[in-house]
Amino acid sequence: MTKFLFVTDLDHTFVGDDQALLQLSDRLQSHRQQYGTKIVYSTGRSPILYRELQQEKKLFSPDALVLSVGTEIYLDGSNHPDPEWSNILSQGWDREKILAITEQFPELVLQPDTEQRPFKVSFFLKAELSSILPQLEAELQKTQLNIKLIYSSEIDLDILPHTSDKGQAMQFLRQKWKFAAKQTVVCGDSGNDIALFAVGKERGIIVGNARPELLQWYNQNLADHRYLAQNHYAAGILEGLQYFGFLK
Ligand code: GLC
Ligand code: MG
């Protein structure tokens, strides 16, 4: 066994089955202790909502925390986002200009204040209204702002710097810690996780309960380095880690 970089989404991926979560947490923590494996949680949640989940599920401390859909990276338990990463994202990013355009779309409902972050503007958008997305994107692109749109779970719309998402944040950590792509494994269940699987050749575990948008992407992009688990949530992750030989 050798060390690897483990990156996982939280809601409906790492978290969802309490018993499997305990089992997986044990395996990962002892692997970390024995081999120096690094563990990263990568979630759409803001610091406040992450803290809630962390306390509710008693999540153990990761080596890095990627919050707000890849726009904030916290290393070694720090309370301050990594300034090197924030600096990369700030180029050409302008929240006010984004809001001036999104205001023209009544279909967009702002998410709670806690989920509005320095490099993330988030809305609820009902699936039946999601046909506005191309037009919204075209309006935003006209301003030549540094942005990208990510639509997840048929309700969440995030606008982020185009230099950022879960995939690019993962690559930043992978390069910082010098893990090869084949010694890195990423896990997810929904739209904002596609970036984790699409960015390179990291090993990918799609949990059995994955949402239609991710399953569709998976089926259109079949590759040996991605695995669709039969089991759900943390049990699906355990299954995938064994499939790739990261765990016995
Ligand atoms: C989390 C965040 C929300 C975001 C969603 C999808 O639920 O709280 O702001 O839109 O993930 O990325
Ligand atoms: Mg999820």
Side-chain angles (χ1 to χ4, degrees), residues 13-211:
T13 302
F14 197 61
V15 176
D17 171 343
D18 290 345
Q19 220 192 322
L21 173 61
L22 273 180
Q23 228 188 327
L24 176 59
S25 299
D26 275 357
R27 298 292 306 269
L28 288 170
Q29 281 175 284
S30 45
H31 213 277
R32 172 161 75 180
Q33 216 174 2
Q34 229 181 325
Y35 304 103
T37 282
K38 295 257 190 203
I39 298 161
V40 178
Y41 298 154
S42 182
T43 173
R45 290 178 180 239
S46 62
I48 290 182
L49 291 191
Y50 166 70
R51 217 38 83 200
E52 279 180 15
L53 185 69
Q54 193 265 325
Q55 283 168 7
E56 187 192 327
K57 297 292 176 187
K58 309 224 166 15
L59 302 177
F60 71 87
S61 296
D63 298 282
L65 195 53
V66 175
L67 301 183
S68 309
V69 200
T71 63
E72 297 167 38
I73 298 179
Y74 298 83
L75 289 160
D76 303 314
S78 164
N79 286 322
H80 299 285
D82 183 73
E84 198 187 328
W85 186 240
S86 308
N87 192 27
I88 295 173
L89 305 196
S90 63
Q91 316 297 324
W93 170 256
D94 188 334
R95 287 188 111 257
E96 298 314 311
K97 280 198 192 150
I98 293 171
L99 288 168
I101 293 171
T102 53
E103 267 168 16
Q104 299 160 26
F105 290 80
E107 298 86 351
L108 299 174
V109 177
L110 267 176
Q111 288 188 10
D113 285 349
T114 60
E115 301 315 282
Q116 309 303 335
R117 304 293 301 163
F119 299 110
K120 169 173 172 288
V121 181
S122 293
F123 299 92
F124 295 123
L125 173 65
K126 291 190 178 144
E128 60 268 29
L129 301 175
S130 63
S131 55
I132 65 151
L133 284 173
Q135 198 199 335
L136 170 65
E137 179 154 26
E139 289 301 318
L140 286 165
Q141 295 299 2
K142 271 189 210 158
T143 63
Q144 305 214 309
L145 285 172
N146 157 22
I147 57 115
K148 82 157 60 143
L149 271 57
I150 300 184
Y151 189 49
S152 305
S153 312
E154 295 167 283
I155 186 69
D156 294 320
L157 176 66
D158 302 314
I159 304 178
L160 318 174
H162 94 105
T163 37
S164 125
D165 54 36
K166 289 186 176 190
Q168 295 179 81
M170 176 272 290
Q171 293 268 12
F172 178 82
L173 291 170
R174 189 172 76 66
Q175 279 154 20
K176 186 179 199 68
W177 289 332
K178 302 193 168 54
F179 281 90
K182 65 175 198 287
Q183 281 306 114
T184 301
V185 60
V186 300
C187 316
D189 78 297
S190 83
N192 71 11
D193 302 315
I194 293 175
L196 280 175
F197 300 110
V199 69
K201 291 231 158 72
E202 288 76 15
R203 303 310 180 231
I205 302 172
I206 290 121
V207 287
N209 55 288
R211 304 213 38 124

